[in-house]
Structures are given as structure tokens and as C-alpha cells.
Amino acid sequence: MKVDAEGAGLDESRLGWIADHLRSRYIETGKIAGAQVAVVRGGVMGYFESFGVQDRERAVPVADDAIWRLYSMTKPITGVAMMTLYERGQFQLDDAVDRWIPEWKDMTVKEPDPNGGSRIVPAHRPPTIRDILTHTSGIGYGFENNDLVLGERNWLADHDLASMARAFGDWPLRFQPGSHWLYSHGMDIAARLVEIMSGLPYDEYLRTAIFEPLGMVDTEFWVPADKVERFAANYERNARKELVLMDDPTTSTYLHKPKLFNGGGGLVGTTADYVRFCTMLAVGGALDGRRVLSRKTLELMTSNHLPGDGDMSDFALPMGYGEVGFAGNGFGLTVAVSKGPQASGTVGSPGAFMWGGAASTTFWVDPSEELAVVFMTQLMPSGTFNFGGQLRSLVYAALV
């Protein structure tokens, strides 16, 4: 991959601190097997480097075109897919979901009872598209709408997007729509809405509306046989702080095309592909002459949609989970939105937006700097180390 630090307005010597940090703190100590970092500014690749191994058991070094599990970094792609349909007049943000999914009519809410139990009451209003895209609909993550369960694949196995979306209509919401923030299957509901509005299977719509225009040639819901050698292993950190294999790339369920195209966490892809996606977002919605979104639609997507320009920490349920810190961040349509360095306690710009994935992948886009940063690794759970915060310190230190 061609790299031009000076052309990107970055200090090459300071960018070297990224490698020093990752090698000494994580690779050489065995905390992670491998990683990849890309930094783009003004559409120019200023930094790209691979570290360690993508398959520790077979001693395979991280390839520049390694394929990673994106998990929840799928969500912003789903957000962009929805906004391409918004631009065609298919919906407004405050349209009720039940306009497309009738099973969502007359939703109920499970709320605490004053006597200490719980009771089922009618929802004050139907969940809207804005609600599902901002995790404020009242649905949750996991079987029977309980809190986040990273093993949700087990109960999803028998569903496609259509049957999953219908199933949620039978379960009570966790709270009244719009009143709280709770990480959820909202983007899977959005993926089903894309199918209904476009008339295409979700994977096909992503291919034609996003992947092909942006040249994202390796992003898909499964890994074909001719790409398996590029697929990274996935690891977890056990109670003894040891790195252990949890998903072997040669036997992974990702080797087979799934029944359900998980719009909230099902994609795999390369750093190069995700960089192209983020670069499009950083420079106003188009890349190499191919426009995916208008500048104003992108502004709508990446504005804070929490009531009163609120903070995620004010709206997230107790013990709630997210791929970034809550303090100092609002939430847009599928992405967290920074309220600035003073509010968040990290270097950056107001309006920068970001998200991450369950295997510790992360990205952020800073439109004011035309900056996009992508970090890939495969370590679960994602909150083990603060890769995002550390990389912000390192990357912003290199801006010229």
C-alpha cells in the first residue's frame, strides 16, 4: 500500500511512535497476536503498518490484505445503507417501524413495578427509525430481549432478517422508546428495512450501493474458500490474562454463507476496504469520483440525535455496554459523536465520530481534519485495552 506521510500532512517520525507503542506494549508481551493500523488524511494514506501474526498457531504473519471480523464495525455500514435510501425518499427518521414491519404495532414495555417486580404496559408511542438507528428503541441484545449477549449467534442461527424482525414484535421493550440508550439489535432491524425498501437481499444491496462503488473487494458476510489463507484467527483473554484461541480461521463458522445477514455485526473485511469506507465519510461522501452520500445527508447521520444534544452517559442504562466510552459522546445514526476534548477527556475534535467491534477493532473519522483512522486486531472482549484512546494520543501528535 502506497504511503505518503508528508502528503497527508503528518510527521513521519512521530508516526513511528505507533509502532513503538504497539510492539513494546502489546505484541512483544503477547497481549495480542497481531494488529494493523491505517491513517488517512485528506484522502492520502499517511500511515499503514502490520504487526505480529494473524494466526499464532500456524505462525502466519499479519498480511497487508488480512481479513478481519468486523463485528460491530458493521453497524456504520448499515447506517450508510439506510441513508442511501433516505436520500431516495424511502423514509423519514420519525416514521414508525411498524409501517414496514406490522408485527411492531401495539408494542409493550416491561417496566419496574412499584412493589419491586415488573409489569407489562403499552408503549407510549411506536419505535421509530431514528430510535433503531440510535439504540433508543427499547429493544436489547440477546435472547428474549435481555441485555447484551455476545453469543447471540446461537439464537440467531434459526432466523433470517425477516423472521428475526418479526420475533422482536412479540417481546416487550426494555423501556419506553426514546427514553434511554441500550446497545441493541437495532441495526439488524435496519438491515431488514433495507431489504423491504430496496427489494433486494441485504448482502446484495450492500454490494451494489456501497462495496462496488467504493472498491471494497473483500468485505462480505463470509469468507470464500480462495480467501481463507488471509483470514485471521480470533483470540480471547482468559481469567489468567492469557491469550487463547477462540475461533480458528480454518474451521470458523464464517467459512459458510449465513442464513441471516447480520447488519449489526456480521461482516468481515480488510483494513484497506474499511479505510476506503472511512475515507469516503471523512471527505464528504464520495471517493474517486463515486458518490455514496451527499455531504448534508452525512451531516445528518453524524450529528448527535440524543434529546437535547445529550451525552451517552446520561442516557445509557446502568450496566449498559458500548464500543466506546459514554462520557463526552453523543450518538448519531449508528455512530458515537464526540462532544469535544474537554467533554471526553481525549484529544480530538468536536463532531468526530467513531465506533468499534467486539474483537477490539476500532475506527474514528474527524471531518474537520479530513482524518480517518482504522485499527484492526482480533481480541475479545473489546474493552480489554483502550486501543482507541491510546491511538488518538499517538495519531493527533503526528498532525502537522
Side-chain angles (χ1 to χ4, degrees), residues 135-157:
H135 298 298
T136 60
S137 68
I139 66 172
Y141 237 135
F143 184 66
E144 291 187 348
N145 206 16
N146 287 323
D147 289 336
L148 175 69
V149 179
L150 287 176
E152 78 271 12
R153 279 177 171 268
N154 292 333
W155 78 267
L156 292 179

Side-chain angles (χ1 to χ4, degrees), residues 116-259:
S118 63
R119 60 186 178 184
I120 305 298
V121 300
H124 294 163
R125 62 166 177 81
T128 65
I129 290 179
R130 190 197 304 263
D131 291 329
I132 65 168
L133 295 179
T134 57
H135 298 298
T136 60
S137 68
I139 66 172
Y141 237 135
F143 184 66
E144 291 187 348
N145 206 16
N146 287 323
D147 289 336
L148 175 69
V149 179
L150 287 176
E152 78 271 12
R153 279 177 171 268
N154 292 333
W155 78 267
L156 292 179
D158 295 329
H159 286 285
D160 58 14
L161 285 172
S163 65
M164 188 198 71
R166 291 193 297 267
F168 272 105
D170 295 332
W171 297 331
L173 302 171
R174 290 291 311 279
F175 49 81
Q176 293 291 344
S179 63
H180 295 289
W181 188 98
L182 178 66
Y183 209 28
S184 73
H185 275 293
M187 300 337 143
D188 299 305
I189 304 303
R192 175 56 184 157
L193 291 176
V194 169
E195 291 188 328
I196 296 170
M197 293 177 189
S198 69
L200 294 173
Y202 188 56
D203 63 332
E204 186 174 341
Y205 188 82
L206 290 185
R207 178 177 57 80
T208 57
I210 300 175
F211 300 158
E212 288 182 351
L214 294 179
M216 297 171 65
V217 297
D218 289 314
T219 304
E220 184 52 277
F221 286 101
W222 63 301
V223 181
D226 61 348
K227 297 182 180 181
V228 171
E229 65 181 15
R230 295 160 49 198
F231 190 32
N234 196 12
Y235 298 91
E236 65 180 339
R237 186 172 163 94
N238 66 17
R240 296 187 297 275
K241 298 183 178 181
E242 299 166 332
L243 196 67
V244 295
L245 181 68
M246 67 171 297
D247 188 26
D248 189 316
T250 66
T251 59
S252 174
T253 57
Y254 281 96
L255 304 186
H256 308 285
K257 189 173 182 177
K259 180 179 179 181

